[in-house]
């Protein structure tokens, strides 16, 4: 019985040793669709200007890309002294404006912004 176990182990070891010399890696070629590259570049461009910190921000829009761009340009026409950016969080776009150190300053600005953007809300991003 012991000889059979020893013989099986010997043949398994011999098979593994001789078989391992014939293993080859596969050559894989990846082709990417050009639209995929364009989407990645657009996402990088949109999120490049996002700096998230412990300051308060006002979110004036949440939805589709085209409407987010329109909302941001409309905001910039109304409030020229306040900066804004578009943030992509799959699958929607958010428009964040301002960067306020204190909540009281953010709430003052929120009251002004709500006249033009009634669905605006105060946020404190934490990334």
């Amino acid at each position: 019985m012991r000889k059979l176990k020893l013989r099986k182990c010997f043949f398994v070891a011999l098979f593994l040793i001789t078989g391992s010399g014939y293993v080859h890696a596969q050559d894989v070629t990846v082709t990417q669709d050009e639209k995929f590259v364009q989407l990645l570049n657009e996402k990088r461009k949109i999120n490049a200007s996002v700096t998230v910190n412990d300051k308060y921000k006002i979110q004036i829009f949440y939805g589709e890309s085209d409407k987010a761009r329109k909302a941001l340009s409309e905001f910039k026409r109304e409030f020229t002294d306040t900066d804004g950016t578009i943030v992509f969080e799959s699958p929607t776009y958010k428009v964040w404006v301002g960067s306020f150190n204190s909540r009281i300053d953010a709430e003052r600005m929120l009251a002004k912004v709500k006249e033009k953007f009634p669905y605006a809300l105060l946020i404190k991003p934490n990334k």
Side-chain angles (χ1 to χ4, degrees):
M1 194 70 159
R2 194 170 221 187
K3 286 186 177 185
L4 287 177
K5 286 184 182 180
L6 187 60
R7 185 176 273 177
K8 280 185 182 179
C9 290
F10 176 73
F11 283 119
V12 169
L14 182 65
F15 176 74
L16 290 175
I17 291 171
T18 58
S20 65
Y22 298 108
V23 175
H24 297 284
Q26 295 177 354
D27 293 325
V28 177
T29 305
V30 177
T31 57
Q32 271 183 321
D33 188 10
E34 188 62 33
K35 289 183 179 183
F36 180 73
V37 174
Q38 290 173 349
L39 286 172
L40 281 176
N41 289 335
E42 183 177 338
K43 183 176 190 292
R44 286 184 190 124
K45 186 174 29 171
I46 288 172
N47 286 346
S49 63
V50 177
T51 56
V52 179
N53 48 27
D54 60 346
K55 296 186 177 189
Y56 291 92
K57 298 186 182 300
I58 298 172
Q59 181 174 309
I60 63 168
F61 181 81
Y62 179 86
E64 298 173 359
S65 174
D66 296 338
K67 292 178 183 177
R69 288 185 186 133
K70 287 179 186 176
L72 182 60
S73 65
E74 187 177 328
F75 176 83
K76 286 184 176 181
R77 272 184 271 141
E78 292 287 324
F79 303 93
T80 56
D81 58 337
T82 306
D83 63 334
T85 188
I86 297 175
V87 179
F88 176 73
E89 287 187 10
S90 184
T92 58
Y93 293 83
K94 298 177 181 181
V95 179
W96 291 350
V97 297
S99 182
F100 307 97
N101 291 325
S102 68
R103 185 177 178 99
I104 208 103
D105 292 337
E107 287 183 1
R108 284 185 193 133
M109 184 65 175
L110 179 63
K112 294 176 189 174
V113 170
K114 276 201 170 193
E115 294 172 6
K116 187 69 178 169
F117 301 93
Y119 296 109
L121 55 103
L122 187 63
I123 61 170
K124 188 170 184 180
N126 54 356
K127 280 191 179 177

